[in-house]
Amino acid sequence: MQHTGITEKFRATHCYDRESGLLHVTASGLAEPEDILAMYNKIMELSCRYDCHRALIDMRAMMKNVDDNRLLVMIDQLDSLLRRIRVARVINTRDSQQNLVQSIADSRNYPLKNFTSQDQALAWLLPGL
């Protein structure tokens, strides 16, 4: 469990930027498995609504309350989303599970990548801009 230091309730805001064709998501607080699944399901819904296939998730202010086994189950549940949307995640470097998420994404060829800065994430999401 990774909840050290963050006690506020989980929140996620979603915004679609028509100019860049990018979904911007900001997540903060202590996230339970249901919160994370709901956040990604909302990304899927907005992706379909706006025909958008790129998302930037800023989760630097978020900490997960999820053990590794539950994390693996969640990734399986999100498989179809993770295969169709390019996801750049700006991560909280204190969350040791982020390396596990990246390893799974790499092994499954998901277009998902972790970053420590928003500028790096945008450069990967929006090449040529």
Side-chain angles (χ1 to χ4, degrees):
M1 309 250 188
Q2 301 289 323
H3 61 277
T4 306
I6 295 180
T7 57
E8 73 180 56
K9 185 167 172 36
F10 177 78
R11 273 185 35 135
T13 59
H14 304 76
C15 175
Y16 175 65
D17 180 351
R18 289 186 193 283
E19 187 173 322
S20 66
L22 187 66
L23 281 170
H24 290 267
V25 180
T26 303
S28 63
L30 181 59
E32 300 293 337
E34 308 78 42
D35 298 321
I36 296 166
L37 288 170
M39 177 181 73
Y40 278 100
N41 285 329
K42 183 69 172 183
I43 290 169
M44 177 69 105
E45 174 192 324
L46 293 172
S47 167
C48 291
R49 180 185 308 167
Y50 296 113
D51 192 27
C52 170
H53 302 284
R54 295 177 294 178
L56 174 69
I57 307 172
D58 185 340
M59 50 182 50
R60 289 174 286 190
M62 181 187 100
M63 195 60 82
K64 295 185 309 311
N65 189 23
V66 180
D67 64 41
D68 288 353
N69 290 330
R70 181 66 176 115
L71 182 68
L72 292 170
V73 170
M74 287 172 37
I75 291 172
D76 286 342
Q77 290 174 300
L78 296 168
D79 184 78
S80 65
L81 166 82
L82 296 173
R83 290 193 185 282
R84 69 178 288 259
I85 298 175
R86 188 171 174 96
V87 178
R89 298 165 4 118
V90 185
I91 61 166
N92 178 336
T93 56
R94 295 180 314 267
D95 185 345
S96 61
Q97 283 183 329
Q98 298 303 352
N99 291 331
L100 176 60
V101 171
Q102 186 65 65
S103 294
I104 294 166
D106 292 346
S107 71
R108 295 183 182 186
N109 294 315
Y110 293 152
L112 178 145
K113 192 162 172 71
N114 290 339
F115 296 92
T116 55
S117 85
Q118 187 165 320
D119 288 342
Q120 292 172 331
L122 286 170
W124 180 76
L125 274 176
L126 305 170
L129 294 182

